[in-house]
């Protein structure tokens, strides 16, 4: 099987497995993360580009929030897919990233010092900030029917509203970047979050 065929088959597998996810985790999130990951890797030369591409494609296929099965079942499915399509040689690397990539990962970090993980994690985190990050946060909040903002919550860090989520997670991501390239892009996107919050509060507290 050629590399091109393996990529196509992985795309199809991912599309099948993302059904039922919220639209912030849809195929277009995967497309954006793939581009960011390949770009970061091109700049930093940290991992094999084919492995980066396959891992970026697969990185969200085991999210128990959406997948409708537990993580272990998803891991088996993904391993099976890699074995059946001539990708056994990259299986361990891919699985390590899938298990560790999530911000909210409850799993013990098996191998957090993996350059492939740095690349994919940075790409995934970049898609959670900037204009796209804001769109995804409000989309997720709507999906959960969370309030947009709970006045006073910002300082308490309770994170029940989408604005609260900015303080719980989004504003922290810039300093959590693994790579120099990721950090550079994050700085730009972080500024967008700050600008947005400033304007948001000026409108929320209009007339006060
Ligand atoms: P990860 O993929 O790192 O596990 P999540 O699945 O928690 O991250 O988040 C994916 C997307 O959903 C991100 O854009 C994130 O900001 C958004 N999101 C997650 N939790 C919330 C929340 N409580 N309110 C608003 N957006 C959220
Ligand atoms: Ni993701």
């Amino acid at each position: 099987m050629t590399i091109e065929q393996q990529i196509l088959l992985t795309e199809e597998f991912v599309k099948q497995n993302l059904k039922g996810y919220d639209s912030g985790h849809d195929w277009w999130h995967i497309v954006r993360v793939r581009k960011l990951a390949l770009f970061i890797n091109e700049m930093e030369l940290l991992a094999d580009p084919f492995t980066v591409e396959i891992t970026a494609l697969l990185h969200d296929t085991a999210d128990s929030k959406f997948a409708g099965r537990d993580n272990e079942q998803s891991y088996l499915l993904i391993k099976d897919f890699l074995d059946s399509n001539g990708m056994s040689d990259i299986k361990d690397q891919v699985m390590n990233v899938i298990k560790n990539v999530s911000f909210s990962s409850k799993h013990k970090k098996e191998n957090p010092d993996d350059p492939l993980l740095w690349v994919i994690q940075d790409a995934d985190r970049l898609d959670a900030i900037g204009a796209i990050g804001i769109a995804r946060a409000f989309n997720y909040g709507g999906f959960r029917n969370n309030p947009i903002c709970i006045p006073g919550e910002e300082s308490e860090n309770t994170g029940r509203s989408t604005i609260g989520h900015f303080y719980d997670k989004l504003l922290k991501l810039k300093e959590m970047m693994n790579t120099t390239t990721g950090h550079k892009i994050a700085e730009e996107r972080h500024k967008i979050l700050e600008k947005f919050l400033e304007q948001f509060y000026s409108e929320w507290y209009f007339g006060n």
Side-chain angles (χ1 to χ4, degrees), residues 19-84:
K19 284 184 183 155
Y21 280 41
D22 77 311
S23 48
H25 277 97
D26 62 6
W27 170 245
W28 300 110
H29 165 65
I30 305 299
V31 170
R32 292 189 301 266
V33 169
R34 164 163 65 176
K35 274 194 280 186
L36 284 163
L38 287 171
F39 176 78
I40 292 170
N41 193 53
E42 241 170 67
M43 301 299 287
E44 312 252 343
L45 304 174
L46 286 167
D48 159 57
F50 172 71
T51 313
V52 168
E53 184 156 4
I54 295 296
T55 313
L57 284 169
L58 289 169
H59 85 274
D60 268 338
T61 40
D63 191 327
S64 56
K65 286 199 294 305
F66 305 108
R69 30 166 205 275
D70 67 27
N71 286 332
E72 294 307 324
Q73 285 173 298
S74 297
Y75 297 156
L76 278 179
L77 203 73
I78 298 165
K79 283 188 217 174
D80 231 39
F81 168 78
L82 292 169
D83 280 335
S84 320

